[in-house]
């Protein structure tokens, strides 16, 4: 059985993932995953990061990251 804290963390991570997918677009997320990259969510100063991003997707991702960070701050998910 999960504790209340674990439940809250799980719910917060689901909200982060939804917000990130919404801001970046499902298409970009799928292309990142197909190229071997992954989205890593965490609690703390760095709420999320992308690992193993191909160079051709890196610039597209970097352009959209500020919008994601603003959304996380707006909803206090960072």
């Amino acid at each position: 059985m999960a504790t209340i804290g674990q439940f809250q963390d799980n719910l917060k991570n689901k909200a982060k993932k939804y917000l990130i997918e919404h801001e970046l677009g499902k298409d970009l997320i799928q292309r990142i995953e197909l190229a071997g990259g992954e989205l890593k969510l965490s609690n703390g100063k760095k709420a999320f990061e992308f690992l193993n991003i191909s160079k051709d997707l890196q610039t597209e991702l970097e352009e959209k990251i500020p919008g994601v960070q603003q959304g996380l701050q707006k909803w206090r998910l960072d």
Side-chain angles (χ1 to χ4, degrees):
M1 181 179 290
T3 66
I4 291 173
Q6 291 169 328
F7 177 76
Q8 288 173 329
D9 287 344
N10 189 24
L11 188 59
K12 194 173 187 178
N13 282 339
K14 285 182 182 183
K16 282 183 201 177
K17 185 174 181 177
Y18 176 77
L19 180 85
I20 292 167
E21 287 178 350
H22 176 75
E23 291 292 329
L24 296 180
K26 191 73 169 166
D27 178 60
L28 179 56
I29 297 287
Q30 288 175 340
R31 288 186 289 142
I32 289 169
E33 290 173 349
L34 287 173
E38 69 176 285
L39 169 63
K40 180 181 175 190
L41 300 172
S42 61
N43 296 324
K45 189 173 183 179
K46 198 166 191 175
F48 70 97
E49 66 180 316
F50 285 91
L51 306 173
N52 305 320
I53 303 301
S54 63
K55 293 200 185 281
D56 59 325
L57 295 174
Q58 184 70 36
T59 55
E60 185 177 354
L61 181 62
E62 286 175 354
E63 291 172 1
K64 295 185 177 189
I65 292 293
V68 172
Q69 290 171 334
Q70 287 176 345
L72 290 172
Q73 289 172 350
K74 177 182 176 183
W75 293 102
R76 297 182 183 163
L77 295 172
D78 57 350

